Amino acid sequence: MKQNKRVRDNLLAFSMLSSGCSLLSTAAIANATELIFCYEDKTVAPMFLAQSNEMLGTQPEASLKILQNLDNTLSQLSIRYQRKAWLSCLNDLRTNKVNAVIASYRPERTKFAQYPMAGSQQPDPRFAVSEFGSCLIGGKKFHQQWQSREVFQTRAFTLAIANGYDLGKALHQEPFFVQHTSSVEKAVELINRGVVDATLDVCQVGDRKVSNYRYKTAQVQAIYPPLEKAQGYLLFSKQFYQQHKVLSQRIWQTIAAQDNAKLYVEYLNKTND
């Protein structure tokens, strides 16, 4: 009899403990700060230098996974997701309809968006969500010619650029004729046929080299180090940042502690298997 009573008491204690934990969990969720995150409504190949895509990601799922990891790590944060056209996301950030987007640095955006700034009044790359490097991609002959390009006084090379890509500052002064193509894959095809000398594509994510991830069977290689690098940042609306400065800093620090590059590379490989 006494043993049965002891069992009942233990079950009651366990039930009360479980209820208490449940109440604490519910209270924590209720007290969490909601962050409305807006992301682009289309699946695109990585185009970190692209004029048309500012999201600086691969597929939206990669950026979502990073935000979901953040949501799971910080108990004081609850993220709500909205999927819209990119310009709508940016405009909603400007009008405080959403709290955050992932985007590259543009000085004009600092009027309505908060970047993780360094002392130089430039974004601190340590807190970037992503960093993509671009390389010239070409065959062996182009690699050899590129090393001796200083002897050329005219635009001696033909570069195939996928629609939407921008050459970037580093390449505007190099000796190139530019031919636009529908995709990087098409550009690589033109290289193999001897129609053009090289193309430009993602070759590095963070510190990880990812050359040939889309053209494993082609006789082309990336020329390292990357000519251009671009970072994507989690931007907050000015209103959200002013109201939640401590939390905003905590979010940036948590993002910096995650291995985001590994996740982006996994999605690159998944996309191009």
Side-chain angles (χ1 to χ4, degrees), residues 123-137:
D124 192 332
R126 293 178 302 169
F127 301 112
V129 174
S130 61
E131 180 180 80
F132 294 96
S134 64
C135 291
L136 288 170
I137 310 292

Side-chain angles (χ1 to χ4, degrees), residues 186-219:
K186 181 63 176 179
V188 172
E189 178 187 327
L190 294 177
I191 294 172
N192 284 336
R193 287 166 47 193
V195 177
V196 301
D197 298 299
T199 187
L200 180 71
D201 198 16
V202 173
C203 63
Q204 190 165 304
V205 180
D207 295 328
R208 290 174 167 84
K209 294 181 179 181
V210 293
S211 66
N212 281 13
Y213 69 92
R214 300 197 251 203
Y215 30 84
K216 297 180 177 68
T217 61
Q219 298 300 310

Side-chain angles (χ1 to χ4, degrees), residues 3 62 67-68 77 87 97 106 150 159 162 164 171 175 178 180 199 201 208 226 233 242 259-260 262-263 270:
Q3 184 177 2
L67 268 293
Q68 288 166 357
L77 182 68
L87 290 180
K97 293 179 182 178
R106 298 286 187 274
E150 291 81 3
L159 186 67
L171 291 178
V178 175
H180 292 280
T199 187
D201 198 16
R208 290 174 167 84
Y233 296 92
Q242 290 300 324
D259 191 356
N260 299 324
K262 180 176 181 291
L263 183 61
K270 178 182 176 181

Side-chain angles (χ1 to χ4, degrees), residues 60-129:
E61 286 84 352
S63 296
L64 285 179
K65 181 62 176 177
I66 289 171
L67 268 293
Q68 288 166 357
N69 289 343
L70 181 71
D71 199 0
N72 293 333
T73 300
L74 299 179
S75 60
Q76 64 268 49
L77 182 68
S78 176
I79 301 178
R80 180 153 59 95
Y81 303 89
Q82 290 190 5
R83 189 168 188 170
K84 297 183 177 182
W86 165 238
L87 290 180
S88 295
C89 283
L90 200 62
N91 187 61
D92 284 356
L93 187 74
R94 183 184 289 107
T95 56
N96 294 304
K97 293 179 182 178
V98 302
N99 307 127
V101 301
I102 293 176
S104 59
Y105 175 68
R106 298 286 187 274
E108 62 272 17
R109 291 176 186 162
T110 59
K111 296 178 181 178
F112 62 88
Q114 183 64 49
Y115 289 83
M117 303 299 285
S120 60
Q121 292 306 303
Q122 291 288 320
D124 192 332
R126 293 178 302 169
F127 301 112
V129 174

Side-chain angles (χ1 to χ4, degrees), residues 142 145-146 149-159 161 167-179 197:
F142 173 72
Q145 292 174 334
W146 183 250
R149 69 190 182 281
E150 291 81 3
V151 302
F152 295 101
Q153 299 300 317
T154 59
R155 295 186 178 276
F157 302 112
T158 301
L159 186 67
I161 297 292
L167 280 179
K169 295 178 181 179
L171 291 178
H172 276 301
Q173 298 178 353
E174 296 292 351
F176 289 123
F177 290 108
V178 175
Q179 178 175 330
D197 298 299

